[in-house]
Amino acid sequence: MSSTLEKLDTVIKDDEFLYRGIIESFWDYKNNKPSSAIYKDSKGVSVDRDAKRPQDDCIAFLQAKKNFFAICKIKASIVREKNAILKYLPVEGNIYHSEIHDSIDRIQMRGSKPKKLRDSSIVVFKE
Amino acid sequence: MNDLGLIKTDATNSIGYFHLPKVKCHFIFRSINPPSSTSFNNPQRFSLEQLKLNKRKLHTFKHFGKGWNGYNGEPIDHKLIDEIETLISDLEYQPQIFPTGRGSVQIEEYLDEHNFIEIEISNNGAFAYMVKNGKEMEKEISIHKINKLISEFYT
């Protein structure tokens, strides 16, 4: 791990944004927004915390990983308001990697929670 | 006396046809520009175009390998995809279809903030989240009841 990792606060602040890449299969052309399916993963929903980076840097970092069709962001405080859990879990090659879980006991979100998170997400990049 | 009459009609928007009293035989042709989708009383109802689109989209899911969504996306079981193709072919109302990163498929329809439905289908069953007239409902359902639930959503 790089030394930069040690500089990041392990607690994700409420005013941080979390970025998530979206491939075209998730895009709802009828309503011009991503499906709530973007927030349905088996091992926690991976997101990149901004960690005080400018938005353009956050987008470029994600695009360097994969040529995403769109990128959205959601504020950490909103994730917590919807009763989801945020975990900072850096991985090799991505010190910003974090995950959204349903709760302390449950990883996968279902029902209303993914839809509410999608509704609160802001699309910041789209092809 | 005439032996033959030709009448052009639009099968789904017909104002009816008539028999000329002195014509022995009538042929009725559909309009050369039929509607792009089959719709009946409700414009939300069965859409052939949406069904074709959904089937094409479903088939693309078969090419998803591990990490297909740019994260840890799991491949979607081909048998599940085939089952969903059969399911949507029987649906009275044609929803939209999306993959999920956990190997399931979500069918959904969004009318407005107070009326929408999302059903996630996996090898373990189906889970529905529906809001109708602002009233929220979440429950596990059996796959053979999906058509009924979607019909209820639209009524």
Side-chain angles (χ1 to χ4, degrees), chain A residues 20-21 23 25-26 28 30 33 35-37 40-42 46 62 65-66 68 108-110 112 115, chain B residues 57 68-71 74 96 98-99 101-102 106 108-110 113 116 118 127 129 136 138 140:
Chain A
R20 169 94 176 166
I23 66 163
S25 296
F26 287 121
D28 174 356
K30 192 174 168 185
K33 58 186 178 183
S35 162
S36 65
K40 293 183 178 178
D41 269 5
S42 58
S46 292
L62 266 172
K65 182 181 168 192
K66 187 178 175 73
F68 286 111
Q108 295 186 20
M109 293 187 286
R110 70 175 187 179
S112 64
K115 202 257 176 195
Chain B
K57 195 170 179 182
W68 56 269
N69 60 352
Y71 296 97
E74 294 172 9
Q96 295 198 82
F98 301 98
R102 52 188 180 224
Q106 176 162 303
E108 67 177 68
E109 193 56 74
Y110 178 89
E113 260 319 290
F116 57 84
E118 296 180 352
F127 188 85
Y129 170 48
E136 206 172 35
E138 290 183 25
E140 286 181 359

Side-chain angles (χ1 to χ4, degrees), chain B residues 3-14:
Chain B
D3 290 331
L4 178 67
L6 299 177
I7 300 171
K8 180 184 169 188
T9 181
D10 182 330
T12 58
N13 190 25
S14 176

Side-chain angles (χ1 to χ4, degrees), chain B residues 125-137:
Chain B
F127 188 85
Y129 170 48
M130 181 167 86
V131 173
K132 187 180 177 186
N133 299 323
K135 193 177 173 187
E136 206 172 35
M137 180 277 289

Side-chain angles (χ1 to χ4, degrees), chain A residues 50-94:
Chain A
D50 70 34
K52 296 180 182 172
R53 288 175 297 163
Q55 180 165 291
D56 286 349
D57 288 3
C58 298
I59 292 171
F61 187 80
L62 266 172
Q63 289 290 54
K65 182 181 168 192
K66 187 178 175 73
N67 188 23
F68 286 111
F69 175 77
I71 291 172
C72 69
K73 71 175 182 181
I74 185 168
K75 215 166 195 178
S77 59
I78 294 174
V79 173
R80 291 177 176 128
E81 279 169 21
K82 307 298 179 193
N83 293 319
I85 301 291
L86 263 178
K87 290 189 173 182
Y88 174 49
L89 299 167
V91 294
E92 192 175 345
N94 187 358

Side-chain angles (χ1 to χ4, degrees), chain A:
Chain A
M1 294 267 173
S2 71
S3 58
T4 317
L5 174 61
E6 292 156 20
K7 292 178 186 172
L8 290 184
D9 192 338
T10 53
V11 178
I12 300 172
K13 291 185 175 63
D14 269 351
D15 63 354
E16 276 192 65
F17 279 103
L18 309 155
Y19 290 79
R20 169 94 176 166
I22 300 163
I23 66 163
E24 192 174 5
S25 296
F26 287 121
W27 195 259
D28 174 356
Y29 280 99
K30 192 174 168 185
N31 297 294
N32 199 30
K33 58 186 178 183
S35 162
S36 65
I38 62 169
Y39 287 118
K40 293 183 178 178
D41 269 5
S42 58
K43 295 171 183 169
V45 176
S46 292
V47 288
D48 286 358
R49 60 186 292 193
D50 70 34
K52 296 180 182 172
R53 288 175 297 163
Q55 180 165 291
D56 286 349
D57 288 3
C58 298
I59 292 171
F61 187 80
L62 266 172
Q63 289 290 54
K65 182 181 168 192
K66 187 178 175 73
N67 188 23
F68 286 111
F69 175 77
I71 291 172
C72 69
K73 71 175 182 181
I74 185 168
K75 215 166 195 178
S77 59
I78 294 174
V79 173
R80 291 177 176 128
E81 279 169 21
K82 307 298 179 193
N83 293 319
I85 301 291
L86 263 178
K87 290 189 173 182
Y88 174 49
L89 299 167
V91 294
E92 192 175 345
N94 187 358
I95 60 166
Y96 309 106
H97 182 262
S98 308
E99 289 181 6
I100 303 174
H101 293 187
D102 180 81
S103 61
I104 293 170
D105 305 319
R106 183 185 163 89
I107 293 176
Q108 295 186 20
M109 293 187 286
R110 70 175 187 179
S112 64
K113 214 170 277 187
K115 202 257 176 195
K116 286 173 180 170
L117 292 184
R118 189 281 309 276
D119 290 346
S120 300
S121 298
I122 302 162
V123 176
V124 292
F125 166 83
K126 186 172 166 288
E127 262 183 16

